[in-house]
Amino acid sequence: MAAQPDPGRSTEQIVSQFLSKALHAILAARIPFIHGPTIPTSRPPRKRDRWFHLALGDPPPALEHPSGLLPNGVMEPLVVDILLSPREDPTMPEAIVERWVAQCEVPAPWSPLHSPAESSSNSFLVKRTYKKSIILLRSIYSVLRLLPAQRVFKMLCASNQSYNYDLTYRVSSFAEPFSRKEEAEFRSHYFSPVETQYGQLAVSVQYRPSLSQFNLEISSLLPPMLITDYVGSPAADPMRTFPASPSERSATRSSISYSFRGSRDGRPSTSAPASAPLFNRPHSWTGAPNEGPSHRAQPAHQPPTGSQRKPTFNFDEFKFSPPFYMSPTPSPPKFSGSYMQSPLRAESAPVSIPQSGTSKVKGLRSPNLSDPTRNFLPPPSPKSARTAEPSSQDSESKSFRKPDGLRISDAYSNMYGTPKGPKDGKDDSGRFSLSGSPRFTFSRSSSRISVPDDLDDPDFSYPFAVDDVDSSDSQARSNDGKEALDFGHASSSHKSQDAAVGELVHMLKTAAPLRDSTYSSQSSKSELQEEGLGSTSSFFMSRMASDALDELQSYKNIKEMLLSQSRAKLHESLRRNN
Amino acid sequence: MNCETCQLKELELDPTEIRDVLRCVVHTIFFHRALGLVRPKDVDCELFEITYVQCGDAELEKKIDEKLEQFVAWSEKHPNRKSQVCLSFYEVKSKQSSWFGSKVERHYWEHWIVNVNVHPINPPRSSFLNNREKVLEETSTRRSALETSVREILFQIIKFANEKQEHIPPVTNTEVVSFPYEISTPR
């Protein structure tokens, strides 16, 4: 007979997974860019998705191990504060817009729910708990979309602009209760609790019914600047890499500090791996994208008497930047101050092909405007970016996750060794700071453009959208039998040269047929006589014809020169190859 | 087994609002009662600033849209009438009716009744130029009131779905919509 699963352990696992999934749902609906790319429908559901029959995709790194979420077990409450953090003025306080509380409440001894469940009905209770948890999670998911903060979240996600506020979060096992005045500003919604073997799994949310007091507007953090080498500019080198968005750049100045005061607890955690940390102290962690070292000091708080929680609750908080942990979406190309220092280049407007065969036509350099691999256009919006570039985002988000996951695990491992100290003692043994610069300089912007170093012909015009092909490409093309025109620079654009030649040929072909000058003059004379015009007109007509002939001759000379040069280059390249 | 019935608050709709509003309401009900594995899909209402969740099942979406089109067609033929759209969940049980055969019966265990009052909202006939702003203001007021009503109904659904769960039968399959259902519209 197969051993029956322990109902107690099953219930604990259900509650633990429920809290983890609830947190995942809350953060995914409130913190911009914390979530990975949208789950492809073709991807088979993973084991994690099957929990509560709600596929939410891969969780953020901090939620990879649900055991780390509740180191003191499932009886510890989970408090998630969603905050609006002013971006431009760090001195302004953050404001809590939502507070989610999920906990397993042990019923009072006099409550009819306090009677222990019979062993024979334990499995039935587990199944019922699981089924109700499924519905409760669906309700949480729905309510998240109906609360006012959803609108703010959508604004921050959808727009490529940066706003004067950020949505951040704070997760802890205990939070300071609101004052009476604050309490009056909030409304509450209580979900029906789910009965479990350990008590009632209760979830509630306090939220601000209106966020109009926060004037959410586009941030004016960036000073106005004159951008000369914009994306698509003729002066911009296609291979130039533009820096990340200002939010990412500002985050490079922030450091992530973790401080832990923890101690080893001998109580085993059934749902955690063997190496999971065990504490008898709650902890909290927050997500703040653009903050420096933690300035917030959460005072030690004594829980209300009569509570069945442990009497000592001191917690430190550490902040990290979940949006830049994940940062799956490309940010709009923003230009750093170094761009302002670059010399202004006088760029001429595109003009037609030069009419003379002089050496004005020197280096043909044009931006890579048509190469699809070099995206000159602003990156798409986050949603479309997620759907449009799944593979790249997958790889990049994974590259984010791994180091961050390792860092989090390092943080937890640091907690193992911290001895039991005084409740309010400052223990720096677990403190370490994470520099966000490697992470923050990673730009998901798809506009990787390099500035050319040697644009020395500002008067040259780029009438065509052409590729910027280097010498190796030119050899390849010449080997293919295409004509490669080089005006003396390695980075000349063959397509533009081809286009120039093509245009010339087209002009020559479509030019009005030139009559014989005598015939034309005679005919024009006759025409003019017929029309009653004087001899000066005929002279003028013949003059125009001769000019046209001269022009034609010059075009032909240019063409022959170009062709001869290209042939010479081709021979040279073939000789080098051989 | 008990059969629970949830009567939702009445909605006063313009014919142009039927699809958007009812789609939002019906999908929210399904999201709370389709207990199979779902990949939730956020959908924004066209007429309101409301985001609701769909189960991400194309077949379900298609069936709901078909039923709503039937209802819209009926309401066009019967304007200015109160009506109901009923979403019911049931179990299929076979009953031995005689020696030679068995009868399949439906045991309904939950009904969701969406009360709808469809009537065209006509602006008052007056000087268009003089009252254009007034008309727009009235339309905007009415629309925001309707949005509030829809939100209340969604919270009503969530509350009922959470409070009444004892009557829900066990989940026996892995399909998205784990229970057979029926959407009834007036004929």
Side-chain angles (χ1 to χ4, degrees):
Chain A
M1 183 178 171
Q4 294 289 333
D6 179 16
R9 183 172 177 174
S10 301
T11 302
E12 189 174 345
Q13 198 174 15
I14 288 171
V15 174
S16 171
Q17 290 288 343
F18 174 87
L19 293 175
S20 173
K21 201 129 193 180
L23 178 60
H24 184 187
I26 292 168
L27 296 185
R30 287 295 177 264
I31 308 303
F33 315 128
I34 195 172
H35 212 271
T38 52
I39 313 163
T41 51
S42 57
R43 193 196 81 178
R46 296 181 182 171
K47 187 178 175 185
R48 197 197 310 273
D49 294 335
R50 293 189 183 278
W51 272 102
F52 309 102
H53 293 180
L54 194 65
L56 298 181
D58 295 328
L63 300 182
E64 286 284 346
H65 301 288
S67 57
L69 182 64
L70 297 170
N72 291 343
V74 297
M75 300 309 293
E76 193 174 338
L78 175 70
V79 181
V80 185
D81 286 335
I82 305 296
L83 307 109
L84 265 181
S85 308
R87 181 182 281 207
E88 292 179 358
D89 189 0
T91 58
M92 278 183 65
E94 297 172 323
I96 298 175
V97 294
E98 280 180 11
R99 173 170 284 173
W100 292 81
V101 179
Q103 60 182 13
C104 214
E105 295 173 337
V106 177
W110 54 85
S111 166
L113 299 167
H114 188 70
S115 57
E118 295 177 4
S119 58
S120 60
S121 62
N122 276 353
S123 62
F124 171 75
L125 189 61
V126 169
K127 286 179 187 173
R128 192 176 69 173
T129 298
Y130 187 67
K131 186 173 75 177
K132 289 187 175 184
S133 302
I134 293 175
I135 299 173
L136 178 56
L137 257 179
R138 304 282 175 101
S139 299
I140 292 170
Y141 199 91
S142 294
V143 168
L144 277 165
R145 272 104 189 121
L146 296 176
L147 296 180
Q150 170 73 8
R151 188 163 167 254
V152 175
F153 171 74
K154 280 167 63 176
M155 281 171 64
L156 295 179
C157 284
S159 173
N160 288 331
Q161 305 280 353
S162 61
Y163 283 82
N164 53 345
Y165 280 96
D166 270 328
L167 272 174
T168 58
Y169 69 96
R170 183 169 60 223
V171 180
S172 61
S173 57
F174 183 79
E176 198 170 340
F178 294 127
S179 63
R180 277 197 180 178
K181 185 184 172 187
E182 285 173 331
E183 195 85 32
E185 296 173 1
F186 283 84
R187 279 193 204 160
S188 300
H189 181 87
Y190 298 92
F191 296 87
S192 295
V194 173
E195 290 173 18
T196 73
Q197 282 191 316
Y198 296 115
Q200 289 195 320
L201 181 57
V203 179
S204 64
V205 58
Q206 289 175 287
Y207 63 96
R208 288 181 190 267
S210 171
L211 299 179
S212 56
Q213 65 193 90
F214 304 99
N215 294 326
L216 203 69
E217 55 190 15
I218 294 171
S219 171
S220 59
L221 195 60
L222 284 177
M225 60 178 80
L226 186 64
I227 301 170
T228 57
D229 47 358
Y230 51 86
V231 173
S233 150
D237 186 345
M239 297 308 295
R240 182 180 188 184
T241 304
F242 284 93
S245 63
S247 58
E248 289 178 347
R249 282 184 282 107
S250 62
T252 57
R253 298 188 292 271
S254 71
S255 65
I256 299 165
S257 62
Y258 288 81
S259 68
F260 297 95
R261 283 190 272 123
S263 60
R264 190 182 292 276
D265 191 314
R267 182 167 59 120
S269 169
T270 56
S271 61
S275 61
L278 301 168
F279 293 94
N280 58 4
R281 296 182 186 280
H283 70 292
S284 71
W285 38 285
T286 65
N290 296 323
E291 285 185 345
S294 167
H295 299 291
R296 296 176 63 89
Q298 292 286 348
H301 183 89
Q302 294 297 328
T305 55
S307 164
Q308 300 197 16
R309 299 194 190 93
K310 294 188 178 176
T312 58
F313 282 86
N314 291 323
F315 64 93
D316 291 331
E317 68 178 11
F318 53 90
K319 296 178 181 181
F320 58 91
S321 310
F324 303 99
Y325 261 70
M326 306 303 296
S327 188
T329 58
S331 49
K334 300 285 168 75
F335 302 99
S336 65
S338 61
Y339 279 71
M340 293 180 69
Q341 298 170 6
S342 63
L344 293 174
R345 294 198 174 95
E347 315 253 331
S348 62
V351 297
S352 59
I353 299 170
Q355 297 181 358
S356 62
T358 61
S359 59
K360 275 188 183 179
V361 181
K362 286 185 178 173
L364 259 185
R365 290 175 212 94
S366 59
N368 182 8
L369 296 178
S370 61
D371 188 351
T373 62
R374 295 164 186 164
N375 190 357
F376 285 77
L377 298 174
S381 61
K383 281 189 183 175
S384 59
R386 283 188 206 127
T387 56
E389 300 176 337
S391 57
S392 61
Q393 287 178 5
D394 274 331
S395 59
E396 287 159 345
S397 60
K398 279 180 186 170
S399 66
F400 265 166
R401 266 187 221 115
K402 283 181 183 175
D404 298 331
L406 284 175
R407 286 178 183 136
I408 297 248
S409 61
D410 288 345
Y412 284 132
S413 64
N414 281 335
M415 291 152 82
Y416 299 150
T418 54
K420 276 188 181 180
K423 295 167 191 178
D424 57 349
K426 293 182 180 179
D427 183 4
D428 292 337
S429 61
R431 185 188 297 274
F432 68 95
S433 63
L434 295 179
S435 169
S437 49
R439 183 172 356 126
F440 297 143
T441 53
F442 180 91
S443 171
R444 293 191 60 95
S445 170
S446 53
S447 55
R448 297 181 61 82
I449 304 161
S450 56
V451 177
D453 298 327
D454 47 4
L455 274 184
D456 52 2
D457 194 356
D459 295 332
F460 194 81
S461 58
Y462 308 98
F464 311 109
V466 293
D467 284 339
D468 188 9
V469 181
D470 55 9
S471 56
S472 59
D473 286 345
S474 69
Q475 288 178 9
R477 289 190 183 196
S478 60
N479 289 338
D480 293 335
K482 290 185 182 179
E483 291 180 353
L485 301 178
D486 189 352
F487 286 95
H489 197 272
S491 63
S492 61
S493 170
H494 296 276
K495 274 194 180 175
S496 63
Q497 293 162 5
D498 287 339
V501 170
E503 183 72 16
L504 270 173
V505 172
H506 179 70
M507 280 178 65
L508 295 171
K509 283 182 182 175
T510 57
L514 298 170
R515 299 172 190 164
D516 188 10
S517 57
T518 55
Y519 174 74
S520 64
S521 61
Q522 285 175 1
S523 61
S524 60
K525 271 185 185 174
S526 60
E527 285 173 5
L528 290 172
Q529 281 173 1
E530 286 174 7
E531 293 174 6
L533 295 176
S535 59
T536 53
S537 302
S538 65
F539 174 75
F540 180 71
M541 291 291 285
S542 62
R543 179 83 182 138
M544 285 176 67
S546 63
D547 286 344
L549 279 170
D550 289 341
E551 220 170 282
L552 173 63
Q553 194 58 40
S554 67
Y555 288 154
K556 284 184 179 173
N557 292 339
I558 292 171
K559 178 187 168 186
E560 283 171 13
M561 183 184 72
L562 293 174
L563 286 173
S564 62
Q565 283 184 2
S566 68
R567 280 190 208 111
K569 285 284 178 183
L570 174 64
H571 288 313
E572 270 182 34
S573 63
L574 285 173
R575 256 184 253 137
R576 280 180 208 156
N577 287 338
N578 295 332
Chain B
M1 183 179 289
N2 293 337
C3 178
E4 297 285 348
T5 300
C6 178
Q7 288 269 0
L8 296 175
K9 188 180 155 188
E10 185 177 273
L11 287 163
E12 289 199 10
L13 302 177
D14 184 76
T16 57
E17 296 164 342
I18 295 174
R19 286 182 189 86
D20 200 31
V21 170
L22 290 188
R23 198 178 285 134
C24 168
V25 170
V26 172
H27 274 287
T28 301
I29 297 172
F30 269 108
F31 185 62
H32 285 81
R33 286 294 185 254
L35 302 186
L37 176 63
V38 304
R39 293 179 190 276
K41 184 171 88 171
D42 290 359
V43 178
D44 294 328
C45 285
E46 294 171 11
L47 303 173
F48 314 103
E49 281 194 26
I50 294 177
T51 303
Y52 65 96
V53 189
Q54 293 185 1
C55 296
D57 184 61
E59 197 181 327
L60 175 65
E61 289 171 36
K62 187 182 167 188
K63 283 186 183 171
I64 291 172
D65 286 342
E66 281 173 7
K67 284 293 179 180
L68 293 183
E69 287 304 319
Q70 284 180 13
F71 180 72
V72 168
W74 178 88
S75 64
E76 283 172 359
K77 292 177 186 174
H78 306 86
N80 297 319
R81 281 180 66 171
K82 293 188 180 182
S83 54
Q84 294 176 338
V85 175
C86 184
L87 170 56
S88 306
F89 294 96
Y90 59 88
E91 272 185 299
V92 176
K93 289 186 177 177
S94 59
K95 185 178 177 184
Q96 195 76 25
S97 61
S98 65
W99 284 91
F100 302 103
S102 62
K103 192 179 171 184
V104 174
E105 283 187 347
R106 289 184 175 183
H107 286 247
Y108 291 92
W109 50 269
E110 195 170 79
H111 296 290
W112 295 82
I113 298 172
V114 187
N115 295 294
V116 181
N117 183 8
V118 181
H119 56 92
I121 310 294
N122 294 320
R125 283 195 174 185
S126 53
S127 170
F128 180 75
L129 287 175
N130 292 337
N131 292 338
R132 184 182 177 185
E133 286 182 7
K134 196 176 175 184
V135 166
L136 288 172
E137 191 183 333
E138 285 175 1
T139 306
S140 171
T141 305
R142 186 194 153 274
R143 192 55 72 79
S144 66
L146 179 58
E147 181 176 329
T148 305
S149 295
V150 173
R151 282 184 186 274
E152 286 174 7
I153 284 177
L154 295 181
F155 273 103
Q156 188 183 358
I157 293 169
I158 292 168
K159 186 181 173 199
F160 184 90
N162 271 263
E163 285 178 354
K164 309 285 184 183
Q165 297 184 31
E166 301 295 333
H167 61 290
I168 300 175
V171 178
T172 55
N173 60 58
T174 57
E175 294 178 9
V176 172
V177 187
S178 45
F179 307 113
Y181 63 93
E182 181 182 79
I183 303 176
S184 309
T185 57
R187 292 183 183 179

